[in-house]
Amino acid sequence: MTTARAWLSRPIFLTSTFRDLQAERDWLGQRVFPELQERLRGRRVILEPIDLRLGVDTAAIADEGQRELQVLQVCLAEIERSRPFLIGLIGERYGWIPPPERMQAAAAEAGFTGEVAGKSVTELEIAYGVLASPAQQRRSYFYLREALPCGEMDPAVAADYAETFAADAGAPERAGKLAALKARLAEELPDRLRSYRATWAGETVSGLEAFGEQVLADLWHELDRESRDRIGAPAPTWQESERETLQEGLDWRASGFIGRQAEVERLERLCLDPGSDGRALCLSGEGGAGCGRDSANSRSRPRRSGGWASASTSISTTPSRRGRRGGVCSKRAAACSSI
């Protein structure tokens, strides 16, 4: 019987173009991922889907080129953090192709040496996250949607769902690159490729029940296999339960945290300042201001030097609490334990 009691986090990175695959992303987020989390709860495993559909916080970056670079850097960093799980959704759009210099800068920072010029962000994520790693290929799945009846749609709507219906000059080239990407996946990862059929409901994609069942079966096969040894862990003591409740709150606040890099780094510098020994730093603000997420995320980042811990105060341990919230970080773990 296993004696493991600590919660284990399992991030899953979701890559796809956005406008044409919103229905599939919603289906996964509202049906498949909650079902997986419920199955994993008894094994003390937290599922952390990473969906960058909401975007990356670049409001503080004035230069457009730097904003684009920040988006690419966050994408690759989240893929790295999500190993070993990545799933890709592919329709009939190739996606945004950033300027070559931005792609090359982001790839170089991530240590990726493959050719990136002229590729879309989606293909970069697939190349970096899966195709360049034999180990990763065994833990990733790709779902290809069969063609929708774009000829029956309004032309402007059809252009959002298929490159072959787009009117701009670059559409034929993008369609060719998409076909090449699908062919490469079929050649290199035939057992990791699934096709599914969806229907067009007049305004959105529907008929995703079979798609959801397939994704659920694939991911559960992997997650069940790797978490089976956590079945039957002995019940924790009340002290461990209290610590785990706090930890679960911190993990919930840190999950999906994107952006605010400057604020988090400033928080870390203050906590690691040799002159702050024996003191605590308190972040306070109205509900929704992000103090708890800032504190939790800074705690979850790898420590390069020194020893410090952070914790959300008890009022913000659970997601349902309202009112003033805050976060605390201290150079001494013992100090945080007593808060």
Side-chain angles (χ1 to χ4, degrees):
M1 177 181 294
T2 180
T3 59
R5 293 191 176 104
W7 284 89
L8 176 68
S9 177
R10 272 294 168 258
I12 297 180
F13 189 88
L14 177 58
T15 180
S16 80
T17 50
F18 288 161
R19 291 196 304 272
D20 55 324
L21 289 157
Q22 289 189 44
E24 281 86 345
R25 285 175 174 262
D26 287 342
W27 192 277
L28 295 179
Q30 296 169 9
R31 299 169 185 261
V32 175
F33 294 149
E35 171 64 24
L36 288 171
Q37 181 58 81
E38 190 61 32
R39 295 183 185 185
L40 292 168
R41 191 178 306 279
R43 305 181 186 189
R44 310 181 74 74
V45 177
I46 298 174
L47 191 70
E48 186 184 342
I50 299 176
D51 183 345
L52 297 183
R53 175 173 39 173
L54 297 180
V56 177
D57 182 9
T58 61
I61 304 175
D63 181 72
E64 181 179 359
Q66 289 302 312
R67 288 199 299 269
E68 292 176 346
L69 180 59
Q70 171 76 357
V71 169
L72 294 170
Q73 289 171 333
V74 168
C75 289
L76 297 185
E78 288 299 294
I79 288 173
E80 188 64 33
R81 188 171 71 85
S82 301
R83 298 186 189 278
F85 294 109
L86 182 148
I87 61 175
L89 311 178
I90 301 177
E92 298 169 82
R93 289 187 61 246
Y94 184 62
W96 174 47
I97 302 177
E101 61 273 16
R102 311 279 188 270
M103 293 283 275
Q104 290 163 354
E109 181 175 300
F112 180 58
T113 58
E115 179 59 42
V116 297
K119 285 182 168 55
S120 68
V121 174
T122 301
E123 182 165 6
L124 173 63
E125 291 172 347
I126 293 171
Y128 174 71
V130 180
L131 297 179
S133 171
Q136 185 71 18
Q137 293 172 13
R138 297 191 295 271
R139 307 296 292 278
S140 301
Y141 291 94
F142 292 91
Y143 303 88
L144 276 59
R145 185 175 64 198
E146 296 180 8
L148 294 173
C150 292
E152 302 173 10
M153 302 177 187
D154 179 272
V157 175
D160 283 340
Y161 283 87
E163 300 291 3
T164 52
F165 284 80
D168 64 284
E173 181 181 5
R174 294 195 304 273
K177 290 180 177 180
L178 177 61
L181 174 60
K182 290 180 177 180
R184 183 180 179 188
L185 290 173
E187 179 181 354
E188 298 187 21
L189 304 172
D191 60 335
R192 294 282 149 172
L193 211 58
R194 312 281 192 260
S195 64
Y196 68 96
R197 179 175 299 176
T199 58
W200 179 249
E203 294 183 355
T204 187
V205 173
S206 62
L208 296 172
E209 290 80 4
F211 159 76
E213 291 173 2
Q214 180 68 69
V215 178
L216 179 65
D218 288 337
L219 290 181
W220 179 243
H221 174 75
E222 301 291 347
L223 291 165
D224 175 54
R225 182 173 57 182
E226 78 155 25
S227 64
R228 198 171 297 162
D229 64 346
R230 299 174 66 85
I231 297 175
T237 64
W238 72 266
Q239 295 96 332
E240 290 171 330
S241 294
E242 289 292 319
R243 284 195 295 269
E244 289 163 1
T245 298
L246 177 59
Q247 181 64 51
E248 187 175 3
L250 288 168
D251 289 340
W252 174 81
R253 292 189 173 281
S255 65
F257 187 99
I258 299 167
R260 305 186 77 165
Q261 189 76 10
E263 290 85 350
V264 172
E265 290 180 353
R266 182 171 180 235
L267 177 59
E268 288 187 337
R269 288 196 299 270
L270 289 170
C271 289
L272 292 172
D273 180 3
S276 66
D277 187 43
R279 296 187 296 165
L281 175 67
C282 178
L283 304 180
S284 177
E286 296 298 326
C291 296
R293 284 188 179 273
D294 281 344
S295 178
N297 185 64
S298 62
R299 176 199 172 280
S300 68
R301 289 155 60 98
R303 297 288 135 246
R304 292 183 294 274
S305 62
W308 67 283
S310 73
S312 293
T313 54
S314 59
I315 194 171
S316 61
T317 298
T318 58
S320 60
R321 297 300 298 266
R322 291 186 172 87
R324 292 187 65 83
R325 297 176 176 177
V328 176
C329 71
S330 171
K331 289 195 67 179
R332 299 184 182 277
C336 283
S337 298
S338 64
I339 294 175

